[in-house]
Amino acid sequence: MTTATTSPAETGKAPEKAHARSPLAALGGQNLSLIGALVVVLGLFGALNENYLSWSNIQVIAEAATITGLLAVVQTVVIICGGLDISVGSQAGLASVVSAMAFTSAGSDPYLGMGAALVIGVLVGIVNGVAIVYGRVNPTIATLAGLAAYKGVAQLVSDGRAQGYVLNDPVFVFLGRGKVAGLPVMIWILIAVAVAVHVMLRYTDIGRNLYAIGGNDTAARLAGININKYLVAVYALIGVVAAVAGILLTARTGSGQPVSGSEGLELKAITAAALGGCALKGGKGGVGGTLLAVALLGALENGLTVQGINTFWQNVAQGALLVTAVVIQQRRNGERAVGLPH
Amino acid sequence: MTTPGTRPPTPTAPGTGVAVENVVKRFGAVQALGGVTLTFPPGQVTALMGENGAGKSTLLKILTGDHQPTEGRVLLDGAPVSFASPQDARKAGIRIIPQEPEIIPHVSVAENVYAGSLPRKAGRRLDRAELRRRIHADLTRLGFEKVIDPDQIGSELTPAQRQLVEILRALTGDAKVIAFDEPTSSLAENEAEALFALIGRLRAQGIAIIYVSHRMKEIFRLADRIAVLRDGASAGVLDAAHTTEGEVVRMMVGRDLSSLFVRQDVARDEVVLELDGVTTDDVTDISLRVRAGEVVALAGLMGAGRSELGLALAGDRPLRSGRITLDGRPLRLRSPKDAIGAGIGLAPEERKAQALFLQRSIRDNTSLVSLERLRRMRFVRSGQEKAVAQDFSDRLRVRTPSIEHEVRKLSGGNQQKVVLARWLLRRPKVLILDEPTRGIDIGAKAEIYRIIADLARDGVALLVISSELPEVLGLADRVVVMQNGRITGELDRTEATEESILNLAMADDLAPLDAAPAPAADRPRTDSAHGGPR
């Protein structure tokens, strides 16, 4: 790296550097330990039950993890910029109900149903963002309020029951049950969203600015980043992706589900992001780690179910995992054990 | 009421106050104090003066147990003492009243005063009757009963009352020595008056008082003795009754400039930045101009409003009135984004808190404000980004094995160079450097001075905020001095000396203070301090 253009800010040509980092180093220690844990989980349940590692069960795991995965990917984005969204599950539930009901009342037009859900998603996201940014509400509190309120709205419009029936429509059937190149459509959607978010975080100036906002908001502001605009946009993005998750929920179950199917997804999403290496105070994390954590959680959940372990215990395991992930993070950061953490 | 209302003004115990003997304090390789011997006798107010960095804070911290001396000893009433912690010093009777005392917001003054040793009934319940009895007894004994209401809630207290609570904490703990660290910086005039009256009373009670302040008028009103520190050593002790402001200032300065500075004359005629009557919440009526290639230093004491002015120019503080013109065009800065777009850069005072992303690489930190020039569509052209970041990192001699290293792993000087690299890459027309060399070693300082000189040669208009006078004198083509949010003078390079700058920086504009009527010490205070005529 000795050559350097002599004129300072010349932005014309610069020598491309071949950067050959070893693939292991590129993965990072956090991801390696996740892969290790995943191998252990797969090996353990595979040894206990021969069907666990069958291709059909792996597809079951993947499909079950898709909706969590979508929410975890966008949760990663908001955590990177120092926020949090615990209303994602309720947002997905609301979108699910809206998609099914709009579909029905529009005379079985699937695109109208999905469009309505996406619009609601954007609106709900903007409401979250505006409350946080301009209302100066702590993100946890604002979205805790959203968690309750959006669930309530979903129950109000649906009367608290599953609404509509969409499995007479080929588009919904394709989304929920279809396959492309041997993989379920739902998985393709997750891959598409994850790749798009990954590219945004990793290779665009938008991503740089999001990391900057979460890393040091004062410095980000003084570096000319419009923090407010970015945060509202991030919450709107969450709304859209949560709406996609809600639509998939409708397509999977055949009808709009106000609560069942979406409740508790926020916990899974946040757990996956934290396990995947997102620093909960912002500035750090990535899609890769989150997806690995989603896979780990999915494999664990499925394995426990296959082994016939009570779902209540699964909740306990999930809560314990979230706290453990954060404890490990704080240890690594050398956080001192005095007073309340930030 | 068992205790008598007043006490004869005699010391509680015959003592000789507190003294330091040949105290040396080193932080690593840096020597903050180099053999200081000073006495603070009881019943007297000793003012402790010196420039920023002369060692005043270090000395106070040694006296109050925050630091331990590397060599030498502290004597209390003639006996050597050694404090492992501020608690130790407090127990021995040495108290410091900080500028902003810790006040528990939701409890009463009485509970604040006795926090940590509240009277209890069985079962750890607060004994309110005993608390009330005790606070009234103490207030009466100390003559404070009309000054503060013990039932007032912590969060409602004014800065002056907060200090009063801290003073009460000190006095109820039988303090022998009380140190005030710039106590009036957050006080309004009438509050300051009340404080002065109180200090007079403490002195009459035989307490040794250490008073740190930059305000000459206050010093000459209050102090019996003036101890001056310079470069970590005692420059002498003056009898306040027989000295002058000029003599004190002379004693505070008077050292030769180092040869760290690159002297050059590259200022051109065209004015790049012009401020006309700029007023914000913190500064008033600031007018100045900076030409291309010119280095203008903003001098003044801490709290003079210089950093706030820098933030206003960087678009981070709204203007109340006035005008900022860049290259002859008036600017409207609603955010830092506007300022950067117009060509104004700021390397802020607190580089870790305000400028750097410690978890990110040198490359990311360098390119952040220039990303719009380094992207195609919205994709960062990483090859080009790496090349320019490497180039600037090399030119500024950032000592790191790779530009992919996290910034938090760098030393302070190298971190500052990364901040500078960010702006060099951006090429602003105006660059504001707030304390560019604070906390970095001498070698890195010299390098940063060289970078500043290079920038000036390239025609950048530079505004350097610095509290280090040798730096101001070494760098500046012109020195603008501020105090209390206003410009108190402007000195050409030929006129600027440490003495002339200090005189302007301390030109006390508390003029009405002398003419003020009898202090309002024993009247309940009213909040009339703000918005009064200046």
Coordinates of all heavy atoms in Angstrom, one line a residue, chain A residues 129-207:
Chain A
G129 N -41.7 5.6 14.1 CA -40.5 6.5 13.9 C -40.8 7.9 14.4 O -40.0 8.5 15.1
V130 N -42.0 8.4 14.0 CA -42.3 9.8 14.4 C -42.4 10.0 15.9 O -41.9 10.9 16.5 CB -43.5 10.3 13.7 CG1 -44.1 11.6 14.3 CG2 -43.3 10.5 12.2
A131 N -43.0 9.0 16.6 CA -43.2 9.0 18.0 C -41.8 9.0 18.7 O -41.5 9.8 19.6 CB -44.0 7.8 18.5
I132 N -40.9 8.2 18.1 CA -39.6 8.1 18.7 C -38.7 9.4 18.4 O -38.1 9.9 19.3 CB -38.8 6.8 18.2 CG1 -39.5 5.6 18.8 CG2 -37.4 6.9 18.5 CD1 -39.2 4.3 18.1
V133 N -38.7 9.8 17.2 CA -37.8 10.9 16.8 C -38.3 12.2 17.2 O -37.6 13.0 17.8 CB -37.5 10.8 15.3 CG1 -36.8 12.1 14.8 CG2 -36.8 9.6 14.9
Y134 N -39.6 12.5 16.9 CA -40.1 13.8 17.1 C -40.8 13.9 18.5 O -40.9 15.0 19.1 CB -41.0 14.3 16.0 CG -40.2 14.4 14.7 CD1 -40.3 13.4 13.7 CD2 -39.4 15.5 14.5 CE1 -39.6 13.4 12.6 CE2 -38.6 15.5 13.3 CZ -38.7 14.5 12.4 OH -38.0 14.6 11.2
G135 N -41.4 12.8 18.9 CA -42.0 12.8 20.3 C -41.0 12.5 21.4 O -41.4 12.6 22.5
R136 N -39.8 12.3 21.0 CA -38.7 12.0 22.0 C -39.0 10.9 22.9 O -38.7 11.0 24.1 CB -38.3 13.3 22.8 CG -38.2 14.6 22.0 CD -37.1 14.6 21.0 NE -35.8 14.1 21.4 CZ -35.0 13.5 20.6 NH1 -35.3 13.4 19.3 NH2 -33.8 13.1 21.0
V137 N -39.7 9.9 22.4 CA -40.1 8.7 23.3 C -39.0 7.7 23.1 O -38.5 7.4 22.0 CB -41.4 8.1 22.9 CG1 -41.8 7.0 23.8 CG2 -42.5 9.2 22.8
N138 N -38.5 7.1 24.2 CA -37.6 6.0 24.2 C -38.1 4.9 23.3 O -39.2 4.5 23.4 CB -37.4 5.6 25.7 CG -36.6 4.3 25.8 OD1 -36.9 3.3 25.2 ND2 -35.5 4.4 26.5
P139 N -37.2 4.4 22.4 CA -37.7 3.4 21.4 C -38.4 2.2 22.1 O -39.4 1.7 21.5 CB -36.4 3.0 20.7 CG -35.5 4.0 20.9 CD -35.8 4.7 22.2
T140 N -37.8 1.7 23.2 CA -38.4 0.6 23.8 C -39.8 0.9 24.3 O -40.8 0.1 24.1 CB -37.6 0.2 25.1 OG1 -36.2 0.1 24.6 CG2 -38.0 -1.2 25.6
I141 N -40.0 2.0 24.9 CA -41.3 2.4 25.4 C -42.3 2.6 24.2 O -43.4 2.1 24.2 CB -41.2 3.7 26.2 CG1 -40.3 3.5 27.4 CG2 -42.6 4.1 26.7 CD1 -40.8 2.4 28.3
A142 N -41.8 3.4 23.2 CA -42.7 3.7 22.1 C -43.2 2.4 21.4 O -44.4 2.2 21.1 CB -42.0 4.5 21.0
T143 N -42.3 1.4 21.2 CA -42.7 0.2 20.5 C -43.4 -0.8 21.4 O -44.1 -1.6 21.0 CB -41.6 -0.4 19.8 OG1 -40.5 -0.7 20.7 CG2 -41.0 0.5 18.7
L144 N -43.2 -0.6 22.8 CA -44.0 -1.4 23.7 C -45.4 -1.0 23.6 O -46.3 -1.8 23.6 CB -43.4 -1.2 25.1 CG -44.1 -2.0 26.3 CD1 -44.0 -3.4 26.1 CD2 -43.5 -1.6 27.6
A145 N -45.6 0.3 23.5 CA -46.9 0.9 23.3 C -47.5 0.3 22.0 O -48.7 -0.1 22.0 CB -46.9 2.4 23.3
G146 N -46.7 0.3 21.0 CA -47.1 -0.2 19.7 C -47.5 -1.7 19.8 O -48.5 -2.1 19.2
L147 N -46.7 -2.4 20.5 CA -46.9 -3.9 20.7 C -48.4 -4.1 21.2 O -49.1 -4.9 20.6 CB -46.0 -4.4 21.8 CG -46.2 -5.8 22.3 CD1 -45.7 -6.9 21.3 CD2 -45.5 -6.1 23.6
A148 N -48.8 -3.3 22.2 CA -50.2 -3.4 22.7 C -51.2 -2.8 21.7 O -52.2 -3.5 21.4 CB -50.3 -2.7 24.0
A149 N -50.9 -1.7 21.2 CA -51.9 -0.9 20.4 C -52.1 -1.6 19.1 O -53.3 -1.7 18.7 CB -51.4 0.5 20.2
Y150 N -51.1 -2.0 18.4 CA -51.3 -2.6 17.0 C -52.0 -4.0 17.2 O -52.8 -4.3 16.3 CB -50.0 -2.8 16.3 CG -49.3 -1.5 16.1 CD1 -47.9 -1.4 16.2 CD2 -49.9 -0.3 15.9 CE1 -47.2 -0.2 16.1 CE2 -49.3 0.9 15.8 CZ -47.9 1.0 16.0 OH -47.2 2.1 15.9
K151 N -51.7 -4.7 18.2 CA -52.4 -5.9 18.5 C -53.9 -5.6 18.7 O -54.8 -6.3 18.2 CB -51.8 -6.6 19.7 CG -52.3 -8.1 19.9 CD -52.1 -8.6 21.3 CE -50.6 -8.9 21.5 NZ -50.4 -9.4 22.9
G152 N -54.1 -4.6 19.5 CA -55.5 -4.2 19.7 C -56.2 -3.8 18.5 O -57.4 -4.2 18.3
V153 N -55.6 -3.1 17.6 CA -56.2 -2.7 16.3 C -56.5 -3.9 15.5 O -57.6 -4.0 15.0 CB -55.3 -1.7 15.5 CG1 -55.9 -1.4 14.2 CG2 -55.1 -0.4 16.3
A154 N -55.5 -4.8 15.5 CA -55.8 -6.0 14.7 C -57.0 -6.8 15.2 O -57.8 -7.3 14.5 CB -54.5 -6.9 14.7
Q155 N -57.1 -6.9 16.6 CA -58.2 -7.6 17.2 C -59.5 -6.9 16.9 O -60.6 -7.5 16.7 CB -58.0 -7.8 18.7 CG -56.9 -8.8 19.0 CD -56.4 -8.8 20.4 OE1 -56.3 -7.7 21.0 NE2 -56.1 -9.9 20.9
L156 N -59.5 -5.5 17.0 CA -60.7 -4.7 16.7 C -61.2 -5.0 15.3 O -62.4 -5.3 15.1 CB -60.4 -3.2 16.9 CG -60.5 -2.7 18.3 CD1 -60.0 -1.2 18.3 CD2 -61.9 -2.9 18.8
V157 N -60.3 -4.8 14.3 CA -60.8 -4.9 12.9 C -61.2 -6.4 12.6 O -62.1 -6.6 11.8 CB -59.8 -4.5 11.9 CG1 -59.6 -3.0 12.0 CG2 -58.5 -5.2 12.0
S158 N -60.6 -7.3 13.3 CA -60.9 -8.7 13.0 C -61.9 -9.3 13.9 O -62.3 -10.5 13.8 CB -59.7 -9.6 13.0 OG -59.2 -9.6 14.4
D159 N -62.4 -8.5 14.9 CA -63.3 -9.0 16.0 C -62.5 -10.1 16.8 O -63.2 -11.0 17.4 CB -64.5 -9.6 15.3 CG -65.7 -9.0 15.9 OD1 -65.6 -8.2 16.9 OD2 -66.8 -9.2 15.4
G160 N -61.3 -10.1 16.7 CA -60.5 -11.1 17.5 C -60.5 -12.5 16.9 O -60.0 -13.4 17.6
R161 N -61.0 -12.7 15.7 CA -61.0 -14.0 15.1 C -60.2 -14.0 13.8 O -59.9 -13.0 13.2 CB -62.4 -14.4 14.8 CG -63.3 -14.6 16.0 CD -64.7 -15.0 15.5 NE -65.5 -13.8 15.1 CZ -65.9 -13.5 13.9 NH1 -65.6 -14.4 12.9 NH2 -66.6 -12.5 13.6
A162 N -59.8 -15.2 13.3 CA -59.2 -15.3 12.0 C -60.2 -14.9 11.0 O -61.4 -15.1 11.1 CB -58.8 -16.8 11.8
Q163 N -59.7 -14.1 10.0 CA -60.6 -13.5 9.0 C -60.2 -13.9 7.6 O -59.1 -14.1 7.3 CB -60.5 -12.0 9.1 CG -61.2 -11.4 10.3 CD -62.7 -11.4 10.2 OE1 -63.2 -11.6 9.1 NE2 -63.4 -11.3 11.3
G164 N -61.3 -14.1 6.8 CA -61.1 -14.3 5.4 C -60.5 -15.7 5.1 O -60.1 -16.4 6.0
Y165 N -60.5 -16.0 3.8 CA -59.9 -17.3 3.4 C -59.2 -17.1 2.1 O -59.8 -16.6 1.2 CB -61.0 -18.4 3.3 CG -60.4 -19.7 2.9 CD1 -59.6 -20.4 3.9 CD2 -60.5 -20.2 1.6 CE1 -59.0 -21.6 3.5 CE2 -59.9 -21.4 1.3 CZ -59.1 -22.1 2.3 OH -58.5 -23.3 1.9
V166 N -57.9 -17.3 2.0 CA -57.1 -16.9 0.9 C -56.7 -18.1 0.1 O -56.1 -17.9 -1.0 CB -55.9 -16.0 1.3 CG1 -56.4 -14.8 1.9 CG2 -55.0 -16.8 2.1
L167 N -56.8 -19.3 0.6 CA -56.2 -20.4 -0.1 C -57.0 -20.9 -1.4 O -56.7 -21.9 -2.0 CB -56.0 -21.6 0.8 CG -54.9 -21.3 1.8 CD1 -54.5 -22.5 2.7 CD2 -53.6 -20.8 1.1
N168 N -58.0 -20.1 -1.7 CA -58.7 -20.3 -3.0 C -58.0 -19.5 -4.1 O -58.4 -19.5 -5.2 CB -60.2 -20.0 -3.0 CG -60.4 -18.6 -2.3 OD1 -59.5 -17.9 -2.1 ND2 -61.6 -18.4 -2.0
D169 N -57.0 -18.7 -3.7 CA -56.3 -17.8 -4.6 C -55.0 -18.3 -5.0 O -54.1 -18.6 -4.1 CB -56.2 -16.4 -4.0 CG -55.5 -15.4 -4.9 OD1 -56.3 -14.8 -5.7 OD2 -54.3 -15.3 -4.9
P170 N -54.7 -18.4 -6.2 CA -53.4 -19.0 -6.6 C -52.2 -18.2 -6.2 O -51.1 -18.8 -5.9 CB -53.5 -19.0 -8.2 CG -54.6 -18.1 -8.5 CD -55.5 -18.1 -7.4
V171 N -52.3 -16.9 -6.1 CA -51.1 -16.1 -5.7 C -50.8 -16.4 -4.2 O -49.6 -16.6 -3.9 CB -51.4 -14.6 -5.9 CG1 -50.2 -13.8 -5.4 CG2 -51.7 -14.3 -7.3
F172 N -51.8 -16.4 -3.4 CA -51.5 -16.7 -2.0 C -51.0 -18.1 -1.8 O -50.1 -18.4 -1.0 CB -52.7 -16.5 -1.1 CG -52.9 -15.1 -0.7 CD1 -53.8 -14.2 -1.2 CD2 -52.1 -14.5 0.4 CE1 -54.0 -12.9 -0.8 CE2 -52.2 -13.2 0.8 CZ -53.2 -12.4 0.2
V173 N -51.6 -19.0 -2.6 CA -51.1 -20.4 -2.5 C -49.6 -20.5 -2.9 O -48.8 -21.2 -2.3 CB -52.0 -21.3 -3.4 CG1 -51.4 -22.7 -3.5 CG2 -53.4 -21.4 -2.8
F174 N -49.3 -19.8 -4.0 CA -47.9 -19.8 -4.5 C -47.0 -19.3 -3.4 O -45.9 -19.8 -3.1 CB -47.8 -18.9 -5.7 CG -46.4 -18.8 -6.3 CD1 -45.8 -19.8 -6.9 CD2 -45.8 -17.6 -6.2 CE1 -44.5 -19.7 -7.3 CE2 -44.5 -17.4 -6.7 CZ -43.9 -18.5 -7.2
L175 N -47.4 -18.2 -2.7 CA -46.5 -17.6 -1.7 C -46.3 -18.6 -0.5 O -45.2 -18.8 0.0 CB -47.1 -16.3 -1.1 CG -47.0 -15.1 -2.0 CD1 -47.7 -13.9 -1.3 CD2 -45.6 -14.7 -2.3
G176 N -47.4 -19.2 -0.1 CA -47.4 -20.0 1.1 C -46.9 -21.4 0.8 O -46.2 -22.0 1.7
R177 N -47.2 -22.0 -0.4 CA -46.9 -23.4 -0.6 C -45.9 -23.6 -1.8 O -45.4 -24.7 -2.0 CB -48.2 -24.2 -0.8 CG -49.2 -24.0 0.3 CD -48.9 -24.9 1.5 NE -49.5 -24.4 2.7 CZ -50.7 -24.7 3.1 NH1 -51.5 -25.5 2.4 NH2 -51.1 -24.1 4.2
G178 N -45.8 -22.6 -2.6 CA -45.1 -22.8 -3.9 C -43.6 -23.0 -3.7 O -43.0 -22.8 -2.6
K179 N -43.0 -23.5 -4.8 CA -41.6 -23.7 -4.8 C -41.0 -23.2 -6.1 O -41.6 -23.3 -7.1 CB -41.3 -25.2 -4.7 CG -41.5 -25.8 -3.3 CD -40.9 -27.2 -3.1 CE -41.1 -27.6 -1.7 NZ -40.5 -28.9 -1.4
V180 N -39.8 -22.7 -5.9 CA -39.1 -22.3 -7.1 C -37.7 -22.9 -7.0 O -37.0 -22.7 -6.0 CB -38.9 -20.7 -7.2 CG1 -38.0 -20.3 -8.3 CG2 -40.3 -20.1 -7.4
A181 N -37.3 -23.6 -8.1 CA -36.0 -24.2 -8.1 C -35.8 -25.1 -6.9 O -34.7 -25.1 -6.3 CB -34.8 -23.2 -8.2
G182 N -36.8 -25.8 -6.5 CA -36.7 -26.7 -5.4 C -36.8 -26.1 -4.0 O -36.9 -26.8 -3.0
L183 N -36.8 -24.8 -3.9 CA -36.9 -24.2 -2.6 C -38.2 -23.5 -2.4 O -38.7 -22.9 -3.4 CB -35.8 -23.1 -2.4 CG -34.4 -23.6 -1.9 CD1 -33.5 -22.4 -1.7 CD2 -34.6 -24.3 -0.6
P184 N -38.8 -23.5 -1.2 CA -40.1 -22.8 -1.0 C -40.0 -21.3 -1.3 O -38.9 -20.7 -1.1 CB -40.4 -23.0 0.5 CG -39.6 -24.2 0.9 CD -38.4 -24.2 0.0
V185 N -41.0 -20.8 -1.9 CA -41.1 -19.3 -2.2 C -40.8 -18.5 -1.0 O -40.1 -17.5 -1.1 CB -42.5 -19.0 -2.8 CG1 -42.6 -17.5 -3.0 CG2 -42.6 -19.7 -4.1
M186 N -41.3 -18.9 0.2 CA -41.1 -18.1 1.4 C -39.6 -17.9 1.6 O -39.1 -16.9 2.0 CB -41.7 -18.8 2.6 CG -43.2 -18.7 2.6 SD -43.9 -19.6 4.0 CE -43.3 -18.6 5.4
I187 N -38.8 -19.0 1.4 CA -37.4 -18.9 1.7 C -36.7 -18.0 0.7 O -35.9 -17.2 1.1 CB -36.8 -20.3 1.6 CG1 -37.5 -21.2 2.5 CG2 -35.3 -20.3 1.8 CD1 -36.8 -21.9 3.5
W188 N -37.2 -18.0 -0.6 CA -36.7 -17.1 -1.5 C -36.9 -15.6 -1.1 O -36.1 -14.8 -1.3 CB -37.3 -17.3 -2.9 CG -36.7 -18.5 -3.6 CD1 -37.3 -19.7 -3.9 CD2 -35.3 -18.7 -4.1 NE1 -36.5 -20.6 -4.6 CE2 -35.2 -20.0 -4.7 CE3 -34.2 -17.9 -4.0 CZ2 -34.1 -20.4 -5.2 CZ3 -33.0 -18.3 -4.6 CH2 -33.0 -19.6 -5.2
I189 N -38.1 -15.4 -0.6 CA -38.4 -14.0 -0.1 C -37.5 -13.6 1.0 O -36.9 -12.5 1.0 CB -39.9 -13.9 0.3 CG1 -40.8 -14.1 -0.9 CG2 -40.2 -12.6 1.0 CD1 -42.3 -14.1 -0.6
L190 N -37.3 -14.5 1.9 CA -36.3 -14.2 3.0 C -34.9 -13.9 2.4 O -34.2 -13.0 2.8 CB -36.2 -15.4 4.0 CG -35.1 -15.2 5.1 CD1 -35.4 -14.0 5.9 CD2 -35.1 -16.5 6.0
I191 N -34.5 -14.8 1.5 CA -33.2 -14.6 0.9 C -33.1 -13.2 0.2 O -32.1 -12.4 0.4 CB -32.9 -15.7 -0.1 CG1 -32.7 -17.0 0.7 CG2 -31.6 -15.4 -0.9 CD1 -32.5 -18.2 -0.2
A192 N -34.1 -12.9 -0.5 CA -34.1 -11.6 -1.2 C -34.0 -10.4 -0.2 O -33.2 -9.5 -0.4 CB -35.4 -11.5 -2.1
V193 N -34.9 -10.5 0.8 CA -34.8 -9.4 1.8 C -33.5 -9.3 2.5 O -32.9 -8.2 2.6 CB -36.0 -9.5 2.8 CG1 -35.8 -8.5 4.0 CG2 -37.3 -9.3 2.1
A194 N -33.0 -10.5 2.9 CA -31.7 -10.5 3.6 C -30.6 -10.0 2.7 O -29.7 -9.2 3.2 CB -31.4 -11.9 4.1
V195 N -30.5 -10.4 1.5 CA -29.5 -9.9 0.6 C -29.6 -8.4 0.4 O -28.6 -7.7 0.5 CB -29.5 -10.7 -0.7 CG1 -28.6 -10.0 -1.8 CG2 -29.1 -12.1 -0.5
A196 N -30.8 -7.9 0.2 CA -31.0 -6.5 0.0 C -30.5 -5.7 1.2 O -29.8 -4.7 1.1 CB -32.4 -6.2 -0.3
V197 N -30.9 -6.2 2.4 CA -30.5 -5.4 3.6 C -29.0 -5.5 3.8 O -28.3 -4.6 4.2 CB -31.3 -6.0 4.8 CG1 -30.7 -5.4 6.1 CG2 -32.7 -5.6 4.7
H198 N -28.5 -6.7 3.5 CA -27.0 -6.9 3.7 C -26.2 -5.9 2.8 O -25.3 -5.3 3.2 CB -26.6 -8.3 3.4 CG -25.2 -8.6 3.5 ND1 -24.5 -8.7 4.7 CD2 -24.2 -8.8 2.5 CE1 -23.2 -8.9 4.4 NE2 -23.0 -9.0 3.1
V199 N -26.7 -5.9 1.5 CA -26.0 -5.0 0.5 C -26.1 -3.5 1.0 O -25.1 -2.8 1.0 CB -26.6 -5.2 -0.9 CG1 -26.2 -4.1 -1.8 CG2 -26.2 -6.5 -1.4
M200 N -27.3 -3.2 1.5 CA -27.5 -1.8 1.9 C -26.5 -1.5 3.1 O -25.9 -0.5 3.1 CB -28.9 -1.6 2.4 CG -29.2 -0.2 3.0 SD -30.8 -0.1 3.7 CE -30.6 -0.9 5.3
L201 N -26.5 -2.4 4.1 CA -25.6 -2.2 5.2 C -24.1 -2.1 4.9 O -23.4 -1.3 5.4 CB -25.9 -3.2 6.3 CG -27.2 -3.1 7.1 CD1 -27.3 -4.3 8.0 CD2 -27.3 -1.8 7.9
R202 N -23.8 -3.0 4.0 CA -22.4 -3.3 3.8 C -21.8 -2.4 2.7 O -20.6 -1.9 2.8 CB -22.2 -4.8 3.4 CG -20.8 -5.3 3.5 CD -20.3 -5.4 4.9 NE -19.0 -5.8 4.9 CZ -18.6 -7.1 5.0 NH1 -19.6 -8.0 5.0 NH2 -17.4 -7.5 4.9
Y203 N -22.5 -2.1 1.7 CA -21.9 -1.5 0.5 C -22.4 -0.1 0.1 O -21.9 0.4 -0.8 CB -22.0 -2.5 -0.7 CG -21.4 -3.8 -0.5 CD1 -22.2 -5.0 -0.3 CD2 -20.0 -4.0 -0.5 CE1 -21.6 -6.2 -0.1 CE2 -19.5 -5.2 -0.2 CZ -20.3 -6.3 0.0 OH -19.7 -7.5 0.2
T204 N -23.3 0.4 0.9 CA -23.8 1.7 0.5 C -23.5 2.7 1.5 O -23.2 2.4 2.7 CB -25.4 1.7 0.3 OG1 -26.0 1.5 1.6 CG2 -25.8 0.6 -0.7
D205 N -23.6 4.0 1.2 CA -23.3 5.0 2.2 C -24.5 5.1 3.2 O -24.3 5.5 4.3 CB -23.2 6.4 1.5 CG -24.4 6.8 0.7 OD1 -25.1 6.0 0.2 OD2 -24.7 8.1 0.7
I206 N -25.7 4.6 2.8 CA -26.8 4.5 3.7 C -26.4 3.6 4.9 O -26.5 4.0 6.1 CB -28.0 3.9 3.1 CG1 -28.5 4.8 1.9 CG2 -29.2 3.8 4.1 CD1 -29.5 4.2 1.0
G207 N -25.8 2.5 4.6 CA -25.3 1.6 5.6 C -24.3 2.2 6.5 O -24.4 2.1 7.8

